[in-house]
Amino acid sequence: MASTSVAATWSAKLPGVEDVVARTRRGERLGRADGVALIAAGDADLSRILDAAAYLRDEAKGRTVTYSPKVFLPITNLCRDRCTYCTFRKDPWDDGAWTMTAGEVRDWSRRGRALGCREALLCLGDRPETAFRQYRALLGLLGFESTIDYVCHAAEECLAEGLWPHTNAGVMTFEELEQLKPTNPSLGLMLENVSPRLRARGGPHHAAPDKDPEVRLRTIDDAGRLRIAFTTGILIGIGETREEIVDSLLAIRDLHDRHGHVQEVIVQNFRAKPGIPMENALEPTDFEIARTVATARLLLGPEMNLQAPPNLNPTAHRLLLRAGINDWGGISPLTRDYVNPEAPWPHVVRLAATCAEEGFQLRPRLPIYPEFARKPGFLHPAIRDAVLAELDEAPAVDWSH
């Protein structure tokens, strides 16, 4: 009964949704209480919130929605973290454990480029060399001292085949980010959630030292200091509170205020999978995801590029467009989503038709957004001219068959 009373008292302190929405339309910046009011709003207010988010998106982005034609390269699925919702990570002795060879990176990149891809998403587990001596031995045999050294080599192989690398290697140091910048137009790391509570015993990040929010915030901050166009985002449905979602979005906003480098924020939803500790956990509903996306748009503002993965939300594409996204993220004609292998990519032709029916044009993009590519210092001189030359070219993507 006491907890109900506390919740009622907190709710009584929140501004009304109508007032919050009116202030966003006047261009005012929202605070924490505003964000909580939006994300905690009932179904009666949902249309008003979605309409306000769509209005902000249209104001800055127009009616164009983008995606990145990509090849998903799971460089290694070995990982020292053990998140309770993950099927990607493996131990070296598990079935399905692998580390890609340089030849595989070249081959997959070449095939992807032939299909019109421009991005190579290099995705891998966090620091497996610190946990597995077998993997350390493999790195040594390949002639590399660390996973990041090997990722740099893989990125060079992607460049040689005509793809732009976008690396998501988990938590990285300032020096490692600096090491990757000459080959990567952009880099990424999901914040997931800023709450340390999720690392407590029994929580989804209890056995995942790299999910310490302070460590992840430091990586994102270091990327800003290095003027790296950075993709980050939140993960919903893993036991967080609505207030913690708002706090996470505001933490991202604060970092972008400081450095101007967050090129994209992803609102990603948990999907239950057989064999994980959270296999029986409830997934967020389409409306919960849409409300979170709309709240993100209203908190982050009209200029932020906002994404929700289409393969994780196959029944909500129209709803997500209404909620204020302007990007669908990476979609591949060649490789599956190795983090969510049960969720196939949508066919681009069908996705384009859905967008058109809702009054949007679907367009491909590079892994770095044009406004960041053109900012001084964001592209390393080794790749700047080539990236800028490609910005306005449309890739030859034909997925009609």
Side-chain angles (χ1 to χ4, degrees):
M1 198 67 172
S3 62
T4 303
S5 175
V6 169
T9 301
W10 170 238
S11 178
K13 295 178 181 178
L14 295 177
V17 169
E18 189 171 355
D19 172 64
V20 174
V21 165
R23 287 190 284 113
T24 65
R25 288 180 179 267
R26 294 196 298 267
E28 296 182 21
R29 197 173 216 212
L30 302 184
R32 184 178 190 270
D34 300 321
V36 175
L38 293 170
I39 205 165
D43 293 344
D45 286 313
L46 183 58
S47 288
R48 183 180 288 115
I49 295 168
L50 298 182
D51 289 346
Y55 173 83
L56 279 197
R57 183 265 324 282
D58 291 352
E59 185 177 50
K61 307 295 182 181
R63 304 291 283 182
T64 296
V65 182
T66 53
Y67 75 101
S68 178
K70 75 174 181 185
V71 178
F72 192 130
L73 300 176
I75 299 299
T76 183
N77 57 5
L78 305 182
C79 183
R80 71 173 180 176
D81 295 331
R82 297 176 182 275
C83 302
T84 60
Y85 47 79
C86 182
T87 56
F88 177 76
R89 64 93 51 214
K90 301 290 183 185
D91 292 323
W93 46 85
D94 290 337
D95 289 339
W98 73 4
T99 296
M100 293 187 75
T101 66
E104 288 171 328
V105 170
R106 286 193 302 271
D107 179 57
W108 292 23
S109 297
R110 186 180 307 116
R111 291 162 60 199
R113 183 59 183 171
L115 292 169
C117 295
R118 286 174 146 184
E119 173 186 346
L121 172 62
L122 280 65
C123 191
L124 55 148
D126 274 89
R127 302 197 180 281
E129 67 267 40
T130 65
F132 307 118
R133 59 179 177 79
Q134 302 97 318
Y135 179 71
R136 289 196 299 273
L138 173 61
L139 284 177
L141 287 173
L142 295 173
F144 299 97
E145 293 185 2
S146 70
T147 299
I148 294 298
D149 289 340
Y150 186 54
V151 169
C152 285
H153 177 68
E156 291 169 353
E157 299 286 1
C158 297
L159 288 173
E161 297 299 335
L163 294 185
W164 296 113
H166 172 89
T167 297
N168 189 334
V171 170
M172 289 175 278
T173 66
F174 183 94
E175 292 75 20
E176 289 168 338
L177 292 164
E178 192 173 36
Q179 186 179 354
L180 284 168
K181 183 172 179 177
T183 54
N184 283 256
S186 58
L187 295 169
L189 172 71
M190 291 290 283
L191 173 60
E192 296 197 5
N193 198 281
V194 78
S195 173
R197 185 183 61 82
L198 300 178
R199 288 221 61 228
R201 183 171 296 279
H205 294 156
H206 170 62
D210 297 289
K211 295 301 173 75
D212 183 323
E214 289 302 318
V215 174
R216 297 179 89 75
L217 288 168
R218 184 165 59 247
T219 294
I220 302 170
D221 185 66
D222 284 343
R225 293 166 57 204
L226 285 164
R227 296 185 70 75
I228 292 172
F230 209 77
T231 292
T232 188
I234 60 172
L235 177 61
I236 64 171
I238 58 172
E240 75 289 339
T241 67
R242 288 169 171 170
E243 290 86 357
E244 288 166 346
I245 293 174
V246 171
D247 289 340
S248 301
L249 291 168
L250 292 178
I252 293 170
R253 189 176 79 177
D254 288 345
L255 288 167
H256 184 61
D257 285 347
R258 191 178 309 162
H259 301 295
H261 71 302
V262 177
Q263 68 159 3
E264 176 182 56
V265 173
I266 303 169
V267 176
Q268 183 169 332
N269 48 305
F270 160 76
R271 291 287 299 267
K273 303 171 182 63
I276 61 171
M278 290 179 63
E279 66 178 325
N280 295 316
L282 293 177
E283 299 177 352
T285 67
D286 288 351
F287 289 104
E288 288 172 322
I289 297 161
R291 183 169 47 211
T292 304
V293 167
T295 299
R297 170 59 71 196
L298 296 173
L299 284 174
L300 299 172
E303 299 294 337
M304 181 58 70
N305 295 304
L306 186 61
Q307 178 205 130
N311 62 317
L312 302 186
N313 300 283
T315 63
H317 293 171
R318 298 175 194 274
L319 188 60
L320 291 171
L321 288 168
R322 190 180 170 203
I325 66 164
N326 67 292
D327 187 76
W328 292 112
I331 300 175
S332 182
L334 178 66
T335 53
R336 62 179 175 172
D337 180 349
Y338 287 91
V339 175
N340 297 282
E342 81 289 351
W345 307 114
H347 198 291
V348 166
V349 172
R350 288 193 289 272
L351 186 62
T354 298
C355 291
E357 289 165 7
E358 297 299 313
F360 294 88
Q361 181 184 25
L362 182 66
R363 292 193 51 153
R365 63 167 174 85
L366 298 185
I368 183 171
Y369 283 80
E371 61 268 34
F372 286 86
R374 295 187 174 106
K375 283 185 180 182
F378 272 80
L379 285 171
H380 191 276
I383 57 174
R384 181 193 300 122
D385 290 346
V387 172
L388 292 176
E390 270 197 58
L391 273 183
D392 298 320
E393 296 176 11
V397 181
D398 180 9
W399 299 358
S400 57
H401 302 294

